[in-house]
Amino acid sequence: MTPTEARKLSRSIPTDTLVGLRDRALIGLMIDTFARVSATVTMNVKDVYRKQDHLWVRLHEKGGKHHEMPCQHNLKEWLQEYIEAAGLAEDPNGPLFRTVDRKTKQLGANRLDRQRAWAMVKRRAKKAGIDTPGICNHTFRGTGITAYLEHPEAKLEHAQQMAAHSDPKTTRLYDRRSDQVSLDEVERIGI
């Protein structure tokens, strides 16, 4: 997914319901923190917290490790809107991202799992008119890393740190900038 498609997706989600606020916050979190879906859905409400006048998130990564990151300004707004509208601050030990009761369309007390998050992502992408093949929860990790690395001041070491990768080779696997370079080069074939 390109950064343009990611923007289109996040802007297409209606935020007049708790489900819409939840979905925008979940997708934004995966993009802006380069988080794995498993690290995202295992978060509790208390894993969104204030530190030095900024909003931070604590991700539960593989091997029981925690990875903390400050929130980008849009993500900060989206998380705060979702938590406030859902009244989640009253339940700091409860899951941050919760399932929806199909009958009442209200958030329940149960944790959203990876499969339901994936179904939501596919549904939201389809509604937004994004037909990128193979779109999944993990797509957002590559999208976020690529969007970050497109900035002239961006450094691979910082992307590696933000993605909680121990090896820069792993971070490079998520860098999709060369896809665009290849397309640009192919277009120069003037036969």
Side-chain angles (χ1 to χ4, degrees), residues 170-188:
T170 306
T171 308
R172 282 191 199 100
L173 293 173
Y174 289 95
D175 182 3
R176 305 287 187 252
R177 293 176 296 166
S178 64
D179 293 352
Q180 186 59 42
V181 172
S182 299
L183 289 172
D184 291 344
E185 293 304 313
V186 167
E187 289 300 322
R188 290 191 176 125

Side-chain angles (χ1 to χ4, degrees), residues 125-145:
K126 184 177 180 179
K127 283 184 181 178
I130 299 168
D131 58 358
T132 300
I135 189 170
C136 65
N137 294 323
H138 214 63
T139 301
F140 300 114
R141 195 164 168 84
T143 300
I145 289 170

Side-chain angles (χ1 to χ4, degrees), residues 156-177:
L156 182 65
E157 313 83 75
H158 293 158
Q160 175 189 349
Q161 183 181 15
M162 289 188 283
H165 289 146
S166 57
D167 189 331
K169 290 178 186 175
T170 306
T171 308
R172 282 191 199 100
L173 293 173
Y174 289 95
D175 182 3
R176 305 287 187 252
R177 293 176 296 166

